Amino acid sequence: MTRSLFKSVSVVSGMTLLSRILGFTRDILFAYVGGASAFMAAFLVAFKIPNFLRRLFAEGAFSQAFVPVLSEYKEKHTHDETRALVDRAALLLGGAVFVLTVVGVVAAPVFVIVFAPGFWMDADAGTYALAVEMLRWTFPYILFISLTALAAGILNTWGRFAPSAFTPVLLNLVLIAATLWLAPRFENPGLGLAIGVLIAGILQLAFQVPFLMKLRLMPRPWRRTGDIAAAREGVRRIGRLMLPAVFGSSVAQVNLLLDTIIASFLVAGSIPWLYYSDRLMEFPLGVFGIALATVVLPRLSGQHATASREAFAATLDWSLRWVWLIILPAAVGLFTLAGPLLATLFERGAFTAGDTTMARLSLMAYAFGILGFALVKVLAPGFYARQDMRTPVRIGIIALCANMALNVLFVVPWVWSGLPGAHAGLALATSVAAFINAGLLYLGLKRAGVLWMRPGWWPFLVRVVVATAVMGVVVAWFAGPLMDWHALETMGRALRLAGVIGAGIVVYALALAALGVRPQALRIALP
């Protein structure tokens, strides 16, 4: 069991790593071409809106509701009945998102006001008009990427993780091409980027089709095979589960949205600074945390469907150990190397040393919360797999309210003080809220009796913390002050950064070995 899970996580992580590397290439080009300019701020908002809705509805609420029901049908129903469920679910999702897309294109000015009210209030800057124009091109992306998420849920349930994990690579390749060849052809370069987003959505959906056809699960909403009544009942269950999951599964996205809204009122550059730091924070979270959650949800759903209580608890325990082992040192490394990473990746062209200094503040704040984000990713499936959406909703509301209160507590005094970097207060509030969310999810699973600490947890945790501390000291010593990095050329920065990261990895591995952490501690042992 451990081997198959680890293999699946490795496949998703490998594909995600490729996507993230290309994503950094894309963001380096964004920073070079647009830096923290008005058109780049407008494009980032126009790109964020459909991405926010995608994560909220398609990859968030729909996937969390669809995969457990689909896993149950896979275990307990015939292939024709399962295929009928897929057909009806595709009709439900496709129809709803199509209506949303039409509304979004028509009401683009309203969406920009809601997501970035500061743009609208600062009419002289022209950023609001740019964002509206670009949003009308980017909004249809949600239709294609939502259907892509449906396809990914099907493929993941059948253990075909590679195609859906590779799909984001296409987005980054298209946006790289759009930055280099399409954007320069427009008076507003952001419009070229927005068109690239739409093209990427179409390609991502088309890429899934051959794999679905091979499984004989290509959605055809007009098809009338299998038990239609059973399929309709499954869709009704998905719909009932989706309603609370719309909020509960995407609290982190709501928190990030609040950051964007407030940042639109702060000094110019705040939104790009938060974007670039968030992108770096998402790297370890996506490569491992999200990859782990992607693999764990269908596994937990199958275990719940077959009433494998002990296996369910063992899978959660295994997931949590891996999160601490990988994400904790990643968070410390990201915090320590925030300045060098930003300088190496983005500091050129329109992105200045001053931008590096400001983005560094928010990256350090996000790094503080990355462990919380990752824990939420692996704990939430423990509820969704059991088709319990109400508990994560209640916890999500608490975390969201805490985030809103912390935004005020951190940002308002920061602005009044006149000190630069108030946007970092937004990132810090989001990080603290992530830990609140994770802690309440953990307690909820323990109270439900589906998660308990297995033997060897505390010695394992202490060793990981000590090894991480040793690594952090070594990395900080090798990194040195940020001003040294400003003085280097791009190649010099890259070589030095690679050396520091390599040294950190080696020191961490040696420290773990010296402290007695063995592979056996990371196996799933069923009682």
Side-chain angles (χ1 to χ4, degrees):
M1 180 179 179
T2 303
R3 182 175 298 176
S4 64
L5 268 176
F6 186 77
K7 180 181 178 181
S8 298
V9 173
S10 299
V11 168
V12 178
S13 294
M15 295 296 182
T16 306
L17 177 61
L18 175 61
S19 173
R20 298 293 174 171
I21 291 172
L22 290 171
F24 279 132
T25 304
R26 176 195 83 189
D27 291 333
I28 289 169
L29 292 173
F30 282 178
Y32 182 80
V33 172
S37 64
F39 92 77
M40 182 55 66
F43 168 72
L44 293 177
V45 169
F47 190 30
K48 181 183 287 288
I49 291 173
N51 265 304
F52 168 79
L53 294 173
R54 164 181 66 89
R55 293 176 180 178
L56 192 65
F57 294 110
E59 292 180 358
F62 180 80
S63 293
Q64 304 294 1
F66 177 57
V67 171
V69 176
L70 182 63
S71 297
E72 181 181 319
Y73 270 62
K74 176 177 177 285
E75 296 290 339
K76 299 182 177 180
H77 293 257
T78 66
H79 185 80
D80 283 344
E81 290 171 337
T82 304
R83 188 167 58 178
L85 172 67
V86 169
D87 293 341
R88 303 295 295 184
L91 180 62
L92 168 71
L93 179 64
V97 178
F98 177 77
V99 172
L100 176 62
T101 300
V102 173
V103 172
V105 172
V106 173
V110 177
F111 274 91
V112 174
I113 291 174
V114 171
F115 279 74
F119 289 178
W120 177 64
M121 297 179 69
D122 186 15
D124 292 338
T127 312
Y128 170 72
L130 292 173
V132 170
E133 181 184 20
M134 286 185 265
L135 181 58
R136 289 201 162 109
W137 282 98
T138 60
F139 208 103
Y141 176 74
I142 189 178
L143 173 62
F144 299 104
I145 202 62
S146 295
L147 295 175
T148 302
L150 168 72
I154 297 168
L155 294 172
N156 290 346
T157 301
W158 265 259
R160 310 297 196 273
F161 295 101
S164 56
F166 179 79
T167 301
V169 171
L170 298 175
L171 170 66
N172 292 321
L173 287 173
V174 171
L175 286 182
I176 289 171
T179 307
L180 293 174
W181 293 296
L182 195 56
R185 300 178 183 275
F186 290 86
E187 182 179 352
N188 168 20
L191 189 58
L193 299 178
I195 294 172
V197 171
L198 177 58
I199 295 172
I202 297 171
L203 289 178
Q204 285 177 295
L205 177 59
F207 180 73
Q208 307 293 314
V209 171
F211 301 99
L212 292 173
M213 294 180 68
K214 187 175 181 179
L215 289 175
R216 296 192 300 121
L217 287 170
M218 179 67 189
R220 295 189 178 101
W222 59 86
R223 182 168 46 197
R224 290 292 183 268
T225 59
D227 189 341
I228 301 300
R232 287 175 177 166
E233 172 57 27
V235 169
R236 281 194 290 268
R237 286 171 55 196
I238 292 170
R240 288 195 298 267
L241 293 171
M242 273 188 68
L243 290 176
V246 165
F247 192 92
S249 67
S250 300
V251 170
Q253 300 307 315
V254 175
N255 289 342
L256 292 173
L257 168 62
L258 292 174
D259 291 354
T260 302
I261 292 173
I262 298 174
S264 70
F265 290 98
L266 300 179
V267 298
S270 294
I271 289 178
W273 294 331
L274 284 168
Y275 171 79
Y276 292 121
S277 54
D278 175 59
R279 289 290 296 163
L280 280 169
M281 182 270 291
E282 287 281 349
F283 184 81
L285 186 61
V287 170
F288 186 77
I290 297 176
L292 183 60
T294 300
V295 172
V296 162
L297 177 59
R299 179 63 63 103
L300 291 173
S301 299
Q303 290 167 343
H304 176 70
T306 56
S308 302
R309 185 184 180 88
E310 298 291 346
F312 190 99
T315 300
L316 282 174
D317 181 271
W318 179 85
S319 303
L320 290 173
R321 292 188 188 226
W322 272 104
V323 166
W324 280 95
L325 183 73
I326 302 297
I327 299 298
L328 182 62
V332 172
L334 204 59
F335 182 91
T336 307
L337 294 175
L341 281 165
L342 287 161
T344 302
L345 292 172
F346 304 125
E347 192 179 305
R348 62 187 61 82
F351 197 92
T352 66
D355 292 323
T356 296
T357 301
M358 299 304 289
R360 177 194 186 194
L361 297 174
S362 50
L363 178 54
M364 293 171 73
Y366 277 137
F368 170 73
I370 189 173
L371 181 62
F373 292 127
L375 289 172
V376 169
K377 291 294 181 184
V378 299
L379 290 169
F383 294 93
Y384 303 137
R386 296 182 297 117
Q387 301 179 28
D388 173 11
M389 303 296 177
R390 295 182 180 274
T391 303
V393 167
R394 290 194 296 269
I395 292 173
I397 291 173
I398 295 172
L400 180 60
C401 291
N403 186 77
M404 295 171 65
L406 291 168
N407 277 336
V408 175
L409 181 64
F410 294 157
V411 175
V412 173
W414 205 323
V415 172
W416 284 348
S417 72
L419 294 173
H423 64 288
L426 299 173
L428 183 59
T430 301
S431 293
V432 175
F435 277 108
I436 294 173
N437 195 1
L440 293 175
L441 288 173
Y442 175 78
L443 292 175
L445 290 172
K446 287 200 69 175
R447 283 196 295 267
V450 296
L451 173 62
W452 54 85
M453 305 289 281
R454 304 179 78 81
W457 238 109
W458 287 113
F460 168 78
L461 189 58
V462 169
R463 290 164 183 161
V464 169
V465 170
V466 172
T468 300
V470 173
M471 180 211 72
V473 171
V474 172
V475 168
W477 186 81
F478 276 115
L482 180 58
M483 65 181 68
D484 292 349
W485 294 80
H486 291 315
L488 295 172
E489 296 295 329
T490 299
M491 184 56 67
R493 292 174 189 165
L495 291 174
R496 182 171 179 179
L497 182 63
V500 174
I501 292 175
I505 293 172
V506 171
V507 168
Y508 181 62
L510 292 175
L512 285 175
L515 291 167
V517 176
R518 298 289 182 264
Q520 289 82 351
L522 299 169
R523 292 178 181 171
I524 299 180
L526 297 180

